[in-house]
Amino acid sequence: MRNKITIVGAGNVGATAAHWALSRGLGDVVLLDVVEGVPQGKALDLLQAGPVEGFSYRIFGTNAYEDTAGSDVVIITAGLARKPGMSREDLLAKNVAIVKACAEQVCRYSPDSVLIVVTNPIDAMVYTAFKVSGFPRNRVVGMAGVLDSARYRTFIAEALGVAAKDVSAMVMGIHGDNMLPLIRLANVSGVPVTDLLSAEALAAIVKRTQHGGIEIVNHLKTGSAFYTPGLAAVEMAEAILFDQKRVLPCAAYVEGEFGFSGCFLGVPVVLGQGGIERIIEFPLNPEEKVAMAESERAVRQQMAATGL
Ligand code: NAD
């Protein structure tokens, strides 16, 4: 059986995720958008990379949810992206309506799928998809932590002049200014970064990570990041489709973990077949607890604004 991955939204993030999904051999891809012609054109263009890149999976562009039927994983990227001067919260009202419409259709045609939500503000949008789909919490997951952690790891690697893949570091909490890049757990091949970088240097890296999205928005001026966001969603899809038991920071619906309940928060999870297999809980220090509580407060404000 070939895996089937639907990507809703054929814009920057969606089309880039499709590109990564094909090049990493995840399965057949359906690219869907409301705009007529865009998913069809981008899908055809990507399909024609097959002979050069050597992938044998197919990609199909469509405006009809019937074509998404029976998907194993659905990545939702539909919605507006930020422009300079906009916060992720500014997107909320418009994107709630879009994500609601997408989730309704997706769960109708792929009732057994795992949903990976990318649309911002992510912690509220993944909650919207969770509420609308009625799926169990293990099958609705938000992408933010993989991206934020990749940014954090990149900045640490740059500061030390080492390979980024040897940097292990995690960002928890909300996908916003209150996110929590964990300093005490960050390490380079097992060596704590606190032994390698000054407190000032680490504070600057944390701050840059927290504002990593807007740094790119300010460069681009017409939209937000998409190469690494697209890859991060595909990394999660791959872990699910191939039952890899990857431990990745994701927005998960907490029910008591880390002392929080009834909202989505960025926490480390085990991703495998069926989605989130479990949340990995560990003791937080007092400052981390405060930061997570701030994240939770901000997430709950966003949740209230969804009206769900
Ligand atoms: P984009 O404008 O390039 O693409 C969005 C696409 O969604 C467009 O093609 C649009 O036609 C489509 N769309 C709108 N309404 C739709 C609907 N009802 N059904 C299907 N498709 C619909 O934007 P982008 O750069 O691809 O970003 C997409 C979203 O992802 C934004 O909300 C952005 O903020 C978010 N994002 C999140 C993260 C994260 O870390 N979670 C990172 C980057 C971007």
Side-chain angles (χ1 to χ4, degrees), residues 8-14 32-35 38 65 77-82 91 95 98 101-102 117-120 122 143-144 147 175 224-226 229:
V8 183
N12 280 337
V13 177
L32 182 144
D33 202 285
V34 277
V35 180
V38 167
Y65 277 92
T77 75
L80 305 183
R82 282 196 294 172
L91 304 172
N95 285 352
I98 291 173
C102 297
V117 182
V118 178
T119 308
N120 270 323
I122 180 62
M143 189 292 287
L147 169 65
H175 184 50
S224 56
F226 51 95

Side-chain angles (χ1 to χ4, degrees), residues 104-157:
E104 272 163 15
Q105 294 296 321
V106 159
C107 61
R108 183 164 156 222
Y109 287 99
S110 300
D112 300 320
S113 60
V114 179
L115 304 185
I116 299 174
V117 182
V118 178
T119 308
N120 270 323
I122 180 62
D123 305 274
M125 294 305 108
V126 66
Y127 173 74
T128 301
F130 175 62
K131 282 295 206 189
V132 171
S133 67
F135 282 8
R137 70 167 180 155
N138 60 302
R139 287 202 283 123
V140 187
V141 56
M143 189 292 287
V146 177
L147 169 65
D148 295 326
S149 302
R151 288 176 174 155
Y152 187 31
R153 293 167 63 196
T154 302
F155 300 147
I156 292 170

